[in-house]
DNA sequence: CTTCAGATCCCCT
DNA sequence: GGGGATCTGAAGA
């Protein structure tokens, strides 16, 4: 094998640090249609159909008041996986710039995913992602997000779900042709 | 230490 | 569409 060759797989190219090191709202939009790939005992794949952006100066952002024990992964650099628990559920985020992240709310099953994947808690359960995975790198670990050149047909934005602050801001994005995405 | 709100889910009506 | 389950992290006393 040529070691210089870029890593390519049938699931597409692993998104680079450069992809995450951009405006968080752009990253949230661009993550739609990308593949979450978890390679453990079996390989599980799902395609992202719903995201939310949590940005600087955002009162709903866990990093709003700076770094804490919970959100320390949000300060480890672009492409870090941030997993937190709320209401006994796990939620997965992709860290973009310092103290900013994109919550992945829903995906479509592609391979070895039998449980439901609509909703951040259910998605993590179906993909087997836990708080053990908090702080891992999406650039080089068993969990990655990849681009297989698929593009969603159309993207819609709305206020975020379950968030009381910044309700006037459209920071949620979802693929509108996906049947499991409810509108607003 | 105690309180409480929360980036949710499920079941009931 | 409404309320209870469930539990962790953060903030206040």
């Amino acid at each position: 094998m040529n070691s210089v060759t870029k890593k390519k797989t049938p699931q597409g190219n692993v998104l680079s640090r450069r992809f995450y090191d951009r405006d968080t709202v752009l990253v949230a939009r661009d993550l739609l249609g990308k593949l979450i790939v978890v390679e453990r005992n079996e390989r599980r794949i799902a395609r992202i159909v719903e995201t939310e952006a949590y940005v600087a100066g955002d009162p709903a952002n866990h990093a709003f008041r700076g770094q804490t024990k919970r959100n320390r992964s949000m300060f480890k650099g672009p492409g870090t996986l941030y997993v937190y628990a709320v209401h006994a559920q796990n939620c997965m985020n992709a860290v973009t710039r310092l103290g900013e992240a994109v919550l992945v709310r829903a995906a479509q099953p592609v391979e070895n995913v039998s449980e439901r994947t609509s909703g951040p808690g259910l998605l993590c359960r179906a993909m087997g992602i836990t708080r053990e995975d908090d702080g891992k790198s999406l650039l080089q670990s068993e969990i990655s997000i990849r681009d297989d050149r698929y593009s969603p047909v159309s993207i819609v934005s709305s206020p975020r779900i379950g968030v009381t602050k910044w309700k006037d801001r459209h920071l949620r994005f979802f693929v509108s042709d996906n049947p499991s995405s409810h509108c607003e």
Side-chain angles (χ1 to χ4, degrees):
Chain A
M1 255 313 202
N2 183 356
S3 62
V4 180
T5 303
K6 272 199 170 181
K7 183 176 181 181
K8 287 211 174 193
T9 74
Q11 296 77 43
N13 297 313
V14 174
L15 294 178
S16 65
R17 178 190 169 95
R18 182 175 292 108
F19 177 90
Y20 298 102
D21 190 12
R22 294 183 297 144
D23 180 271
T24 301
V25 174
L26 289 181
V27 176
R29 283 178 46 97
D30 290 347
L31 278 175
L32 295 175
K34 301 298 187 289
L35 297 173
I36 305 170
V37 180
V38 180
E39 294 174 297
R40 298 206 240 249
N41 292 335
E42 61 178 9
R43 184 177 61 195
R44 297 183 190 181
I45 305 179
R47 192 179 299 282
I48 298 172
V49 297
E50 182 182 352
T51 61
E52 284 178 359
Y54 289 85
V55 302
D58 175 358
N61 186 340
H62 286 172
F64 183 56
R65 292 168 211 277
Q67 189 170 348
T68 66
K69 183 179 179 181
R70 170 172 63 168
N71 67 25
R72 64 193 180 284
S73 298
M74 295 183 73
F75 296 86
K76 287 177 72 173
T80 301
L81 179 64
Y82 170 45
V83 183
Y84 70 91
V86 68
H87 290 105
Q89 318 289 328
N90 291 326
C91 300
M92 64 171 290
N93 301 252
V95 176
T96 55
R97 289 177 170 162
L98 204 66
E100 302 190 18
V102 174
L103 169 70
V104 183
R105 286 190 55 88
Q108 286 177 334
V110 173
E111 184 179 305
N112 284 327
V113 179
S114 50
E115 299 173 54
R116 282 166 301 163
T117 49
S118 59
L122 293 172
L123 175 61
C124 281
R125 217 163 67 184
M127 298 301 287
I129 293 173
T130 70
R131 278 197 313 298
E132 298 278 301
D133 301 310
D134 178 50
K136 287 182 180 174
S137 171
L138 292 168
L139 313 176
Q140 44 178 12
S141 75
E142 75 274 25
I143 304 171
S144 63
I145 303 180
R146 307 189 194 192
D147 181 5
D148 68 342
R149 309 272 172 175
Y150 173 86
S151 287
V153 176
S154 69
I155 295 171
V156 181
S157 70
S158 82
R160 294 174 293 191
I161 303 295
V163 177
T164 55
K165 295 153 187 163
W166 271 23
K167 273 205 155 165
D168 54 323
R169 310 255 181 153
H170 284 218
L171 292 172
R172 169 177 177 245
F173 302 95
F174 58 97
V175 179
S176 61
D177 52 277
N178 175 52
S180 69
S181 60
H182 47 91
C183 303
E184 186 176 338

